[in-house]
Amino acid sequence: MSVESTEDLLVEGLQHIYYTEQRLLDALEELESTSTQEELQQGFSEHREETQEHVERLEQVFEQLGQEPEAAEDPVVEGMIEAHEEFVDKDPSDAALNRFNIAAGQKSEHYEIASYGNLAPLADQAGYDEAADLLEQNMREEQDALDELSELGENFDYGELEA
Ligand SMILES: [Fe+2]
Ligand SMILES: [Fe+2]
């Protein structure tokens, strides 16, 4: 498909974020299972449930565009998942992995916020108001998830890490 119009750009972006959200379902499970701090585990678990809703909202967006939902492999999310696997392979301490997982979660939220922050105005520009609202809803939940992770990062007990 050649990308020329606002709508083409929107569809292209939607296919990548649709892929990303589905991969994040796996990634959030991995972040939860490799964290030992309870608040962190709970945060990842709750955001995983929201992520399921993000996938469903995206399916509604495709429907409003008269398109079948289609996922396009996204190298950014794959890279983030690979970076996490590489870190786990280094056999970090529990505390080090908790701290790493906070940062990994934040990175994915920033990526999603940047994606939705561009897709919502594209949908708006292409005349799909309801789709734009759905994309903004996803974006707000990403922002809330980021804020929660940032708070956990700020309150992290560095005493658990070796000096
Ligand atoms: Fe999401
Ligand atoms: Fe997210």
Side-chain angles (χ1 to χ4, degrees):
M1 164 181 120
S2 94
V3 180
E4 291 164 354
S5 67
T6 306
E7 186 153 344
D8 294 343
L9 263 177
L10 172 61
V11 171
E12 162 83 15
L14 285 172
Q15 290 177 347
H16 282 91
I17 195 73
Y18 186 54
Y19 179 93
T20 297
E21 292 282 16
Q22 291 178 76
R23 288 296 277 139
L24 288 175
L25 285 172
D26 302 327
L28 284 160
E29 202 168 16
E30 183 68 13
L31 287 170
E32 183 190 348
S33 72
T34 58
S35 297
T36 54
Q37 190 193 343
E38 205 180 307
E39 278 174 297
L40 192 52
Q41 289 173 330
Q42 199 181 328
F44 287 135
S45 167
E46 283 167 9
H47 193 54
R48 188 177 186 278
E49 279 171 37
E50 288 177 336
T51 298
Q52 190 66 61
E53 287 173 38
H54 297 172
V55 170
E56 285 162 22
R57 284 196 195 110
L58 286 172
E59 286 165 357
Q60 292 173 41
V61 169
F62 278 111
E63 201 182 316
Q64 282 164 18
L65 270 67
Q67 300 255 346
E68 283 298 315
E70 209 177 295
E73 184 171 339
D74 190 287
V76 178
V77 73
E78 288 305 330
M80 289 194 284
I81 289 170
E82 201 179 310
H84 188 265
E85 286 167 356
E86 281 175 17
F87 187 77
V88 171
D89 284 346
K90 289 179 180 166
D91 202 19
S93 69
D94 285 352
L97 191 48
N98 284 333
R99 189 63 191 87
F100 186 89
N101 284 350
I102 291 172
Q106 283 176 315
K107 286 175 191 174
S108 74
E109 300 313 330
H110 274 285
Y111 181 51
E112 289 179 284
I113 291 164
S115 302
Y116 288 121
N118 284 283
L119 290 171
L122 284 176
D124 205 34
Q125 182 67 32
Y128 297 105
D129 298 356
E130 275 181 53
D133 286 347
L134 288 163
L135 294 165
E136 278 168 17
Q137 280 179 48
N138 278 6
M139 185 169 70
R140 278 196 294 273
E141 289 182 2
E142 314 301 6
Q143 184 64 57
D144 289 346
L146 175 63
D147 291 346
E148 274 181 41
L149 284 166
S150 301
E151 209 180 309
L152 288 173
E154 281 162 24
N155 296 329
F156 188 78
D157 179 5
Y158 288 95
E160 288 183 29
L161 290 168
E162 276 180 46

